[in-house]
Amino acid sequence: MTRVAGGPRVRRPPAERRAEILRIAMETFAERGYQSASLAEIADRVGLTQAGVLHYFSSKAGLLTGVLDLRDSTDIEELGSERPRGLAFLRHLVETTRRNTGREGIVRLYTVLAAESVTAKHPAQDWFRDRYQGLRVLVVEALDEAQAAGEVAADVDTGTTARVIIATMDGLQLQWLLEPGSVDMAAATEVAIVRLIGRDLPPAATH
C-alpha cells in the first residue's frame, strides 16, 4: 500500500505494484549490477518490505527473470508478428540501435547483466546464452535469405558474419554508454554490416 500525504494508506492494484517493482529493479540492476544490488535496497526504493516484494516475486533471481522478460518483450513488440526477411532484417538491426539511443536504462541493464552473466552460477547465464544463440539464428537466416536472393555473395560465411555483427552491436553499446557523444551507434552498425556483406542495405521504412 502507498500512504497519501496526510491521509490513509492507499492499496494499489497488484498489476500496478508489480510493474513498479520491475521498473525499480531494472533501474537498480542497471546502476549496480545483479550481484551488488540487494533485495532490501529494491524493497526500500519501492516502499515495501522484502516480504512485500517477495509477495510478487518468489526470490531475487525470480525478480531478475521478470526484469529480463520485460526487457525482451520490448524487442519482440518492435519486431512484430513476422520478422523482416533478408537484408530488411539487417536494416531492422540498424534501426534497433538507433532506437536504443533513446533508452539508455535498458541498454545499460543489458550491458551490465550480460557482462556479469559470464560469472559462475549467475542466474541470467542461461538467459543470455539462449538469447545470443537465438539472435545468431535470426541473423544467419536473414543472411541465407539474402544469399538465396542474390543480394549477398555466395562466399560470405553467414555464421561468422552473424557473430561479428552481434559483437559489433554490443561493443558499440559499451562505447556509447561510456562516452555517449563519441559514437553514432546506428551509423557505425550500418558501416560494419555493409563492409561485411559487400553491399548497401535497403533504406529505412518511413511511417
Side-chain angles (χ1 to χ4, degrees):
M1 293 187 293
T2 302
R3 182 181 294 278
V4 178
R9 295 173 68 88
V10 178
R11 185 178 297 278
R12 300 174 64 179
E16 183 179 322
R17 175 61 85 183
R18 190 177 191 279
E20 181 187 24
I21 294 170
L22 284 175
R23 178 180 62 79
I24 294 298
M26 180 179 290
E27 292 174 359
T28 307
F29 290 150
E31 292 167 4
R32 298 172 52 75
Y34 174 80
Q35 304 291 10
S36 296
S38 69
L39 193 61
E41 176 184 5
I42 294 169
D44 184 63
R45 293 178 66 173
V46 176
L48 292 173
T49 63
Q50 291 187 60
V53 173
L54 293 175
H55 173 74
Y56 295 91
F57 299 91
S58 60
S59 63
K60 182 184 174 185
L63 181 55
L64 176 63
T65 299
V67 166
L68 291 173
D69 287 344
L70 177 62
R71 184 248 177 256
D72 215 22
S73 67
T74 303
D75 287 349
I76 293 172
E77 289 172 3
E78 289 175 354
L79 193 56
S81 59
E82 183 177 353
R83 73 163 176 82
R85 319 302 291 184
L87 294 183
F89 182 74
L90 301 184
R91 166 56 65 187
H92 166 77
L93 295 180
V94 172
E95 296 310 306
T96 296
T97 64
R98 193 183 312 281
R99 286 189 291 272
N100 280 347
T101 62
R103 50 189 188 190
E104 180 181 345
I106 291 178
V107 174
R108 187 178 302 279
L109 172 81
Y110 181 88
T111 303
V112 169
L113 294 181
E116 276 194 342
S117 72
V118 303
T119 59
K121 298 182 180 178
H122 193 283
Q125 191 170 97
D126 287 343
W127 188 92
F128 277 100
R129 183 184 296 112
D130 292 345
R131 179 172 179 79
Y132 275 115
Q133 289 174 349
L135 183 55
R136 282 198 303 272
V137 167
L138 290 175
V139 179
V140 168
E141 287 179 350
L143 290 167
D144 287 342
E145 290 161 1
Q147 283 184 328
E151 298 171 331
V152 171
D155 62 353
V156 170
D157 182 336
T158 58
T160 298
T161 300
R163 288 180 181 274
V164 175
I165 289 172
I166 295 168
T168 297
M169 293 173 67
D170 280 3
L172 287 169
Q173 286 188 160
L174 178 58
Q175 294 178 61
W176 177 75
L177 287 168
L178 290 171
E179 194 177 357
S182 68
V183 59
D184 181 332
M185 289 197 293
T189 298
E190 183 164 358
V191 167
I193 293 175
V194 167
R195 295 291 179 85
L196 286 166
I197 66 175
R199 64 156 297 159
D200 290 339
L201 297 178
T206 56
H207 300 283

